């Protein structure tokens, strides 16, 4: 990821893929956004650019973020026998409803990893220890069978 | 007719005409600047339509236009952007100054114009038009390109250099004796340095004088402060334009952003009047004799400018095609060159400077965008990179 200032216009963030292709996101001062795709024969020129509205940018980010998460989950299941994913509900009686994710100390206590939180229609991919938990959230956790069972107990009983 | 009635009729008719020209320019994908200049030339002295009642209005409007052009330019850049551009592209900036200012100065001396006119013409050939270049970048959808930051950095450095150049020129054009001239010059450079340092350091405090979300007070306040500082700058011979530019740089954050949107229609109005007025005050009959020298100067300095952009892009690690794009897009000279010519002509240093500058700006501002489009053409791309076969390269 590369960040470049465009004086008087805004900033450009670039992602260079493993295959060597470059994708840029130009963020204008006035809030407008544009995705630039770079050509193969001329790596410095944006072959095409697509202006995005706020909603379109958010939708694109969601799709990419969510599909990335699903891809990772599927990959883990295929590669590592003995690892499981599980969806765990934070009930209204859970001691962690209203707390931050970090308060559960899930990683150190149960060796599981919480890879996403599903809240109503939204998905929060890669939550951080500061992400707040709410009653009704579904945690998507990856771990060994005993680890996931321990996590379920932690989330209900503390 | 009554005086003010005549004034309205004249100004109204002129503005209507400019509106049509601006639409035409937009239709054919050109900057409106050359059309405004041409309109001024045709309406100017020696033509069939005399503009008497509006003369004072146009004169004041054109001076306000310069101030608005400059304050808007300052508003576009934040102090941090100025600092990073200076750091990353200092070498490109120095090369730009050397390669493009010197041909102008030499040219003036060859014409036998004297040292002050040489300094003025050096400035005219040095500075690319940020307005036109930014427009071409957007039109050709090159904002996302990798060479664009290099292009923008050069423009930023040129604009910043103008903050020192303009007071020096103002001091030179009035400097009667060598001693008085030198003193004014040193005072001017000191004043600008101190002001620039203060705006970079205390810009936030100045921004706090205004409330960003109240449009009316912000418009009146920023315009008032700009004219006030411009007036004082003019009084101490630093040039009103530089004062306005520094006000623009000093404002930052939301205040700058909102002020930019509020002032932009005013800038469009008075900048149009400025270009028109410059054309008006130039006698069209003086253009023809300087057309050939202007064309020669345009060819030379478009070449040196292209070389500047090419080298700067190479230093930034851009490929051959990107280097050509960066070079050719910088070719147009515009608002600054006219501001400089206006300053010099106002002091009456060389009568031929105004027509030469007009013809020069007309030529570069029309040729520049065309050359930029050429850089995208298939034959040109094949010509600059003959060995690379077009089409996808197998991974």
């Amino acid at each position: 990821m590369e960040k470049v200032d465009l004086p008087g216009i805004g900033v450009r963030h670039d992602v260079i893929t493993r295959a060597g292709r470059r994708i840029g996101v130009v963020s204008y001062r006035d809030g407008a956004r544009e995705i630039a795709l770079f050509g193969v024969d001329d790596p410095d020129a944006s072959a095409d650019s697509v202006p995005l509205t706020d909603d379109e940018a958010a939708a694109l980010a969601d799709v990419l973020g969510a599909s990335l998460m699903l891809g990772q989950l599927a990959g883990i299941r295929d590669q590592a026998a003995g690892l499981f994913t599980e969806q765990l509900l934070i009930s209204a009686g859970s001691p962690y409803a209203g707390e931050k994710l970090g308060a559960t100390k899930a990683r150190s206590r149960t060796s599981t990893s919480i890879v996403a939180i599903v809240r109503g229609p939204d998905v929060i991919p890669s939550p951080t220890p500061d992400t707040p938990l709410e009653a009704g959230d579904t945690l998507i956790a990856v771990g060994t069978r005993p680890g996931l069972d321990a996590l379920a107990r932690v989330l209900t009983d503390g | 007719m009554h005086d003010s009635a005549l004034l309205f009729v004249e100004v109204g008719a002129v503005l209507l005409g400019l509106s049509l020209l601006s639409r035409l320019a937009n239709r054919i994908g050109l900057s409106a600047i050359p059309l405004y200049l041409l309109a001024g030339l045709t309406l100017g002295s020696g033509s069939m339509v005399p503009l008497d009642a509006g003369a004072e209005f146009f004169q004041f409007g054109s001076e306000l236009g310069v101030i608005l052009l400059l304050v808007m330019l300052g508003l576009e850049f934040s102090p941090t952007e100025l600092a990073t551009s200076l750091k990353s592209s200092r070498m490109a900036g120095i090369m730009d100054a050397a390669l493009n200012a010197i041909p102008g100065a030499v040219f003036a001396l060859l014409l036998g114009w004297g040292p002050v006119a040489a300094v003025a013409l050096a400035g005219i050939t040095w500075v690319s038009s940020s307005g036109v270049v930014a427009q071409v970048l957007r039109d050709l959808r090159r904002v996302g390109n990798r060479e664009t930051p290099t292009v923008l950095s050069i423009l930023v450095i040129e604009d910043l250099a103008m903050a020192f150049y303009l007071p020096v020129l103002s001091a030179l054009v009035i400097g009667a004796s060598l001693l008085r001239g030198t003193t004014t010059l040193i005072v001017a450079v000191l004043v600008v340095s101190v002001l620039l340092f203060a705006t970079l350091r205390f810009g936030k405090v100045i921004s706090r004088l205004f409330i960003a979300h109240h449009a009316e007070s912000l418009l009146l306040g920023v315009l008032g402060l700009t004219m006030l500082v411009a007036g004082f700058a003019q009084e101490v011979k630093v040039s009103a334009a530089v004062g306005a530019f520094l006000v623009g740089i000093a404002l930052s954050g939301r205040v700058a952003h909102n002020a930019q949107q509020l002032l932009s229609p005013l800038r469009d109005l008075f900048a149009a009047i400025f270009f028109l007025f410059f054309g008006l005050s130039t006698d069209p009959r003086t253009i023809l004799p300087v057309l050939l020298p202007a064309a020669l100067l345009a060819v030379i300095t478009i070449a040196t400018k292209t070389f500047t952009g090419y080298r700067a892009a190479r230093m930034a690690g851009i490929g051959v095609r990107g280097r050509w794009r960066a070079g050719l897009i910088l070719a147009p000279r515009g608002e600054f060159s006219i501001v400089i010519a206006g300053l010099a002509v106002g002091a009456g240093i060389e009568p031929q400077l105004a027509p030469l500058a007009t013809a020069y700006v007309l030529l570069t501002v029309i040729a520049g965008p065309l050359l930029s489009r050429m850089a995208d053409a298939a034959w040109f791309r094949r010509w600059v990179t003959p060995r690379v076969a077009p089409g996808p390269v197998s991974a």
Side-chain angles (χ1 to χ4, degrees):
Chain A
M1 192 99 159
E2 240 177 73
K3 176 175 175 271
V4 197
D5 275 335
L6 301 172
I9 293 180
V11 284
R12 195 187 79 226
H13 292 271
D14 281 3
V15 177
I16 301 161
T17 66
R18 189 179 296 172
R21 293 296 299 269
R22 183 185 284 269
I23 303 168
V25 176
V26 179
S27 312
Y28 289 88
R29 284 271 181 72
D30 55 11
R33 267 175 236 85
E34 208 173 273
I35 282 200
L37 299 173
F38 288 79
V40 179
D41 58 331
D42 184 353
D44 301 318
S46 56
D48 204 353
S49 56
V50 185
L52 294 175
T53 65
D54 287 1
D55 289 348
E56 290 155 3
L60 197 61
D62 266 2
V63 170
L64 287 173
S67 73
L68 183 68
M69 194 188 72
L70 292 176
Q72 281 170 346
L73 289 181
I76 286 167
R77 211 177 270 162
D78 289 345
Q79 288 163 15
L83 269 189
F84 298 89
T85 51
E86 197 154 87
Q87 303 190 3
L88 298 164
L89 184 75
I90 303 276
S91 64
S94 163
Y96 297 108
E99 294 284 326
K100 287 182 172 167
L101 178 60
T104 61
K105 298 202 168 58
R107 195 182 290 269
S108 52
R109 285 167 71 188
T110 66
S111 302
T112 56
S113 193
I114 293 164
V115 295
I117 301 174
V118 181
R119 179 174 301 158
D122 298 328
V123 175
I124 306 167
S126 317
T128 64
D130 290 331
T131 309
L133 297 175
E134 290 174 15
D137 284 357
T138 302
L139 304 190
I140 298 180
V142 178
T144 57
R145 193 66 262 162
L148 289 171
D149 291 344
L151 178 64
R153 280 196 300 279
V154 166
L155 291 179
T156 37
D157 304 330
Chain B
M1 257 194 285
H2 192 267
D3 261 2
S4 68
L6 194 60
L7 174 73
F8 285 145
V9 169
E10 271 186 26
V11 175
V14 166
L15 290 185
L16 265 177
L18 292 184
S19 140
L20 289 177
L21 289 179
S22 160
R23 246 175 85 180
L24 177 70
N26 185 42
R27 174 73 61 83
I28 54 180
L30 265 184
S31 154
I33 297 175
L35 297 186
Y36 294 158
L37 284 173
L38 283 174
L41 280 176
T42 19
L43 292 177
S45 43
S47 72
M48 53 241 122
V49 205
L51 291 171
D52 296 326
E56 246 176 68
F57 173 82
F58 286 120
Q59 175 152 21
F60 175 73
S62 92
E63 280 169 28
L64 191 56
V66 175
I67 290 176
L68 284 166
L69 273 171
L70 270 287
V71 71
M72 288 290 286
L73 198 65
L75 284 173
E76 270 183 27
F77 306 125
S78 66
T80 43
E81 282 176 347
L82 288 178
T84 39
S85 289
L86 265 185
K87 228 177 279 168
S88 64
S89 306
R90 204 177 36 234
M91 278 315 293
I94 293 170
M95 188 175 66
D96 178 41
L99 281 173
N100 296 290
I102 291 172
V106 170
F107 203 80
L109 292 176
L110 285 179
L111 290 174
W113 281 3
V116 179
V119 172
L121 197 57
I124 290 171
T125 55
W126 174 9
V127 192
S128 297
S129 164
S130 344
V132 174
V133 173
Q135 187 60 43
V136 175
L137 277 175
R138 279 177 195 241
D139 285 352
L140 300 183
R141 309 179 70 153
R142 290 203 196 148
V143 176
N145 280 16
R146 287 192 64 221
E147 77 274 6
T148 299
T150 309
V151 172
L152 294 172
S153 289
I154 291 181
L155 293 178
V156 172
I157 291 177
E158 283 179 355
D159 294 342
L160 197 59
M162 282 299 105
F164 291 94
Y165 171 85
L166 285 178
V168 168
L169 183 67
S170 331
L172 284 176
V173 294
I174 37 167
S177 71
L178 190 66
L179 184 69
R180 270 239 322 266
T182 322
T183 333
T184 333
L185 205 142
I186 292 168
V187 168
V189 171
L190 275 180
V191 167
V192 173
S193 307
V194 169
L195 280 178
L196 197 61
F197 178 76
T199 51
L200 293 181
R201 196 72 207 277
F202 304 111
K204 287 216 172 76
V205 184
I206 303 170
S207 299
R208 249 179 257 146
L209 288 173
F210 305 104
I211 308 170
H213 58 262
H214 191 245
E216 194 177 330
S217 76
L218 186 65
L219 173 67
L220 295 174
V222 172
L223 192 59
L225 181 70
T226 308
M227 288 173 76
L228 199 68
V229 173
F232 280 122
Q234 184 84 311
E235 192 54 37
V236 296
K237 315 286 186 239
V238 171
S239 128
V242 171
F245 182 61
L246 291 175
V247 171
I249 292 181
L251 297 176
S252 58
R254 287 219 67 76
V255 168
H257 180 78
N258 292 359
Q260 214 181 345
Q261 289 181 332
L262 289 170
L263 288 179
S264 145
L266 272 183
R267 190 262 324 258
D268 291 345
L269 169 62
F270 288 104
I273 290 180
F274 165 66
F275 294 120
L276 178 87
F277 182 76
F278 190 83
L280 277 176
S281 42
T282 309
D283 187 345
R285 283 164 300 190
T286 56
I287 292 272
L288 209 57
V290 295
L291 203 55
L292 201 65
L296 188 65
L297 188 62
V299 169
I300 295 170
T301 56
I302 284 177
T304 54
K305 200 57 144 182
T306 308
F307 182 71
T308 308
Y310 186 95
R311 288 302 298 259
R314 199 171 84 169
M315 281 193 269
I318 306 294
V320 176
R321 290 177 186 172
R323 292 177 207 162
W324 277 102
R325 281 194 300 270
L328 290 170
I329 202 168
L330 285 167
R333 316 299 205 275
E335 56 275 15
F336 254 129
S337 303
I338 299 291
V339 169
I340 293 166
L343 197 65
V345 172
I349 53 168
E350 172 60 54
Q352 276 195 309
L353 189 62
L356 183 81
T358 312
Y360 174 76
V361 167
L362 282 175
L363 290 171
T364 57
V365 98
I366 290 171
L370 294 176
L371 287 171
S372 273
R373 282 184 173 76
M374 182 186 82
D376 281 342
W379 64 266
F380 186 82
R381 292 165 35 155
R382 270 199 304 279
W383 180 66
V384 294
T385 47
R387 273 157 299 170
V388 179
V393 178
S394 57

